[in-house]
Amino acid sequence: TYQAVDLISITPNTAIRAGADQTNVLGVRAEGGLLTLYANGYQLAQYTDTSYGDGRFGIYVRSGASAVYTYRLERIAYWVLD
């Protein structure tokens, strides 16, 4: 079984477009033990943890301020960086 782990706390950021009919492009770069998070071309956060040798990735969506929201995932992809 797999368990979700919060590596970085939820933090509001002006790089994330909030509200109705908004589109956001999100990215995660994992290089060794360094994870870098991006939104719309802006770096949001970095986290270093070498305890995870491998694993899986997925999408978890949660509203920070409102109980009424929708989201649509249009595309998910990954690349192996050499």
Side-chain angles (χ1 to χ4, degrees):
T1 64
Y2 293 95
Q3 178 180 352
V5 177
D6 286 339
L7 300 178
I8 300 172
S9 298
I10 295 173
T11 305
N13 192 295
T14 58
I16 298 173
R17 299 178 190 119
D21 299 319
Q22 297 296 314
T23 299
N24 289 283
V25 177
L26 307 177
V28 177
R29 181 180 178 128
E31 190 169 5
L34 179 65
L35 297 173
T36 308
L37 306 179
Y38 299 91
N40 303 313
Y42 293 95
Q43 182 178 318
L44 300 178
Q46 285 189 319
Y47 181 82
T48 301
D49 188 336
T50 58
S51 64
Y52 296 98
D54 59 13
R56 298 176 184 213
F57 71 94
I59 301 297
Y60 172 75
V61 177
R62 184 182 116 182
S63 171
S66 172
V68 179
Y69 70 97
T70 59
Y71 78 95
R72 181 178 70 213
L73 178 65
E74 290 187 5
R75 182 176 53 184
I76 188 168
Y78 75 94
W79 295 267
V80 176
L81 305 175
D82 294 328

